[in-house]
Every structure is written in C-alpha cells, then in structure tokens.
Amino acid sequence: MEPRTTLARRPAGIVALIILGLLLVGCGRENTTTIGAILPLTGGSAQWGIPPRNAALLAVDQANAKGGIKGRKIALEIEDDQCEPTPAVAAIQKILASGKPIAIMGAVCSSATLAIAPIAESNKVVLISPATTSPLLTNAGDYIFRVIPTDALRGKVFADYVYARGYRRVSCLYINNDGGLGNEKTFSDSFQKLGGKIVSVDAYPQDTRDVRTQITKIKAAKPDAVLVVSYPDDTPIVLRQAAELKLGLPLFFQTEALDDPAVIQRAGSAAEGVTYILPAKPTGAAADAFARSYRERYGKDPELYAAEVYDVIMLIVNILNASPAMTADALKDGLYKTQNYAGASGTISFDRNGDVTKPMAIKQIKDLKPVVVATQ
C-alpha cells in the first residue's frame, strides 16, 4: 500500500487548485444572504404551506435575477412546522443553528408563530408572518411583524356582519389552539358588545376526526347561527358531520379554509350556503404582476397566502437594498417606516406593533363556488 499523500507532498499545481476551491467555497458563503422560511408542508394544514413555499421560491428567483441583496444571492432555508408549536420551535432552532439568517418568514398558523416569536425576539432576528392573525402577536416584540390583519379586526367585521343580518343567539365551535381561541374570542367579544348573546362555546382537538359530540351540544343550545373556527383538514369534517346530524343552522367560518377548492371538494354539498371571512382580494399593478408571474411558473392562479409571502420576501429585499447597513436592526427599522407599500397582497403600512390593516371580504359558497357578498 502506498503511503498517504499529505497536502504538503502534493504537486504545487494540485495544491493551488485545492486552495482555490476552498477560497471559492468561502467566498460563496460570504456572498450569500439567508432568509429562513417556516411553513406547514406536511400534515393537515399543508394547503396553507405549499402555495407560500411556491411564492417564496418565485420571489427569491426574481430577486436574485436582479442582483439579490446588495449583490449577494439569497438562499432560502425552508423548514416544515406542520402547523404545530413543537415542530415550529425545532424549525427555527435549526435555521438559527445553521447560521444567523437576515430574517425569517413564518409561520402560518398562530400557535406555531407564537411559539417561535420569543426565540426570534431574543435572538434579535426579524420574524414576519404572512398569515398569523392571533391578537397575541401584536405585543410579541420589536422584531415581530405580520402582513395580514389581526383577528381583532376580523372578529369585529364578522360580528358586525352576522349581527346586521338579524342573528342574536350564536354558538361558537373552534379548533383548540391559539388561532382558534383567538378567533373565537374576538368574534364573541365584538358580538356581545353589539347586544348579541353567545349561547354556547365548544372546542375540539386539533387533528380530530369527530366533532359529533360538539355539534350535538350546539343543537341543544338552540342558537340562531354558529360561528366556526377551523383549519383546512377539519373544515370538511365539521361541515359533513353538521349535515349528517341535521344541524340546519347558518354556519359562519372565521378562517379562510373554504377559499381552498380542495376543501370545498372534500366537503361536497355540505359546504353550500356557508359564509366565511378573509382579507379582500388585492387590486393594482403589483397584484396583477405577481399573479401573472405565478401563473407563468406554476400554471394556476395564486392560492391562499401566496401573495402575502411574496410581499414578505420583497419587503426584506427592497428595504435592505435601500439601507446602508445589512443588519436585522436596519431591516426592523425599515419595516416600521414602511407606509403605503403597494404589494401583491395589497397596500402595506406597519403600525408601531408591526401590524397592518387591510380591507376584509365576506364570501359565501354558492353552487360550490366562493362568491364575494360583502367587502368592509
């Protein structure tokens, strides 16, 4: 066996090539800026994670084609949180351990975002959620932002809508997590201030397959209507079992799960006539340009939260390219100064808590298709 050749014994040309390769690897790392992304890519809420992932990849490719951030290519590090707090914490820890990112986009589900917000805040890393609506995020910290309105606004608008249609006695059914509880509370508080009465409140575990017990209790309470807070995987279950038990009451969903055609397909005729609330569809040049780009790349219209994620990435890119410093604090300060940004998801202006206000739309399922019935 020949003796092992050390680097010092290799021919000078080979040594030079090795050193050059190592330098190029080092330079490659130095010329890359990482943005983390935490999304539900598996599990029952994957419908809320796949479109955002697609939009993030589109945004990064477009930004890199124009020079990235200050000439550095953007690397997107995506981790799956399954819409759950524990995997979300593992995801952010993995992203932080691999090298401090300039920012993190995520999460989608409120319980996941609320679990990782303290970690981002303590590490002074900007966290921007494209979809979390829980009011608890408002006071989560100086480095925490979102580009979707809080449930405090959503609950008030929906309560006004339900009350204005003559419903005075409402039962609430919600998925038992931070997002579900926050949505139920904001609606209930607003509805009761109007003079309405919440006659019953029932929760069901996340990932449940059976809500018959809760629906039976609702029937016994004899409400005029039912407020439901559900996620994509459980929405068809609620609808089908409500039909099976002949609940026979108007259903108002305070999440946008029904905006996904796959959810309506799974629910079938049980979805007919159901009403739900979500941010209004944006209009304008930025929204149109994004929709075109998304269709060209993926062969379909942008789905839920895709536009919001696109805006998150582009806000990070635009602010840092315009800033003299390439730091989390520069990004944070730039976000707070952002007013009337014409984005793919609508006009974005951050308040002192990192929250935004946008118009809300109310839709109803007619002939198994969503139709806008009000905008507020």
Side-chain angles (χ1 to χ4, degrees), residues 11-137:
I14 296 176
V15 172
L17 287 172
I18 292 172
I19 294 173
L20 178 60
L22 292 172
L23 288 173
L24 287 173
V25 170
C27 289
R29 289 173 180 168
E30 290 176 1
N31 288 317
T32 300
T33 297
T34 299
I35 296 176
I38 299 174
L39 299 165
L41 301 176
T42 59
S45 298
Q47 298 101 312
W48 284 352
I50 304 300
R53 180 196 62 187
N54 293 343
L57 293 170
L58 173 63
V60 167
D61 284 350
Q62 289 182 351
N64 280 337
K66 296 180 179 179
I69 300 176
K70 296 188 182 299
R72 298 181 179 184
K73 292 293 185 182
I74 302 165
L76 193 63
E77 184 172 349
I78 305 173
E79 295 295 336
D80 179 15
D81 68 1
Q82 303 171 38
C83 234
E84 297 272 8
T86 300
V89 169
I92 193 172
Q93 289 174 339
K94 184 176 180 181
I95 291 171
L96 292 173
S98 66
K100 194 168 184 179
I102 195 66
I104 296 175
M105 183 273 294
V108 168
C109 298
S110 292
S111 56
T113 306
L114 291 170
I116 63 177
I119 300 172
E121 183 71 15
S122 64
N123 281 275
K124 295 185 177 181
V125 172
V126 171
L127 176 72
I128 313 175
S129 173
T132 290
T133 58
S134 170
L136 296 176
L137 199 67

Side-chain angles (χ1 to χ4, degrees), residues 208-211 215 233-242 266:
T208 190
R209 313 310 298 174
D210 190 347
V211 293
I215 292 172
D233 201 39
D234 43 288
T235 295
I237 294 170
V238 172
L239 289 169
R240 290 197 304 264
Q241 292 180 2
R266 287 173 55 207

Side-chain angles (χ1 to χ4, degrees), residues 252-268:
F252 294 90
F253 282 72
Q254 199 169 301
T255 53
E256 46 271 81
L258 279 157
D259 217 47
D260 185 341
V263 172
I264 297 176
Q265 184 178 23
R266 287 173 55 207

Side-chain angles (χ1 to χ4, degrees), residues 141-165:
D142 290 338
Y143 291 82
I144 313 301
F145 298 80
R146 59 178 145 196
V147 295
I148 195 169
T150 170
D151 285 334
L153 173 66
R154 183 187 299 235
K156 181 182 183 307
V157 170
F158 213 27
D160 288 346
Y161 180 84
V162 173
Y163 190 86
R165 272 137 194 85

Side-chain angles (χ1 to χ4, degrees), residues 134-216:
S134 170
L136 296 176
L137 199 67
T138 294
N139 297 312
D142 290 338
Y143 291 82
I144 313 301
F145 298 80
R146 59 178 145 196
V147 295
I148 195 169
T150 170
D151 285 334
L153 173 66
R154 183 187 299 235
K156 181 182 183 307
V157 170
F158 213 27
D160 288 346
Y161 180 84
V162 173
Y163 190 86
R165 272 137 194 85
Y167 301 108
R168 297 294 181 267
R169 292 167 48 83
V170 171
S171 287
C172 295
L173 176 65
Y174 69 93
I175 188 169
N176 195 8
N177 59 24
D178 289 320
L181 180 60
N183 269 284
E184 183 277 321
K185 187 177 187 308
T186 55
F187 175 89
S188 294
D189 289 350
S190 296
F191 190 70
Q192 290 175 114
K193 286 179 182 176
L194 292 169
K197 184 177 181 180
I198 303 298
V199 298
S200 68
V201 178
D202 288 283
Y204 59 86
Q206 191 164 335
D207 299 326
T208 190
R209 313 310 298 174
D210 190 347
V211 293
R212 293 180 182 87
T213 299
Q214 291 86 345
I215 292 172
T216 300

Side-chain angles (χ1 to χ4, degrees), residues 33 62-64 66-74 102 313-327 330-331:
T33 297
Q62 289 182 351
N64 280 337
K66 296 180 179 179
I69 300 176
K70 296 188 182 299
R72 298 181 179 184
K73 292 293 185 182
I74 302 165
I102 195 66
I313 300 296
M314 289 308 185
L315 278 167
I316 294 169
V317 172
N318 293 341
I319 289 171
L320 289 176
N321 272 330
S323 172
M326 185 79 162
T327 63
L331 175 58

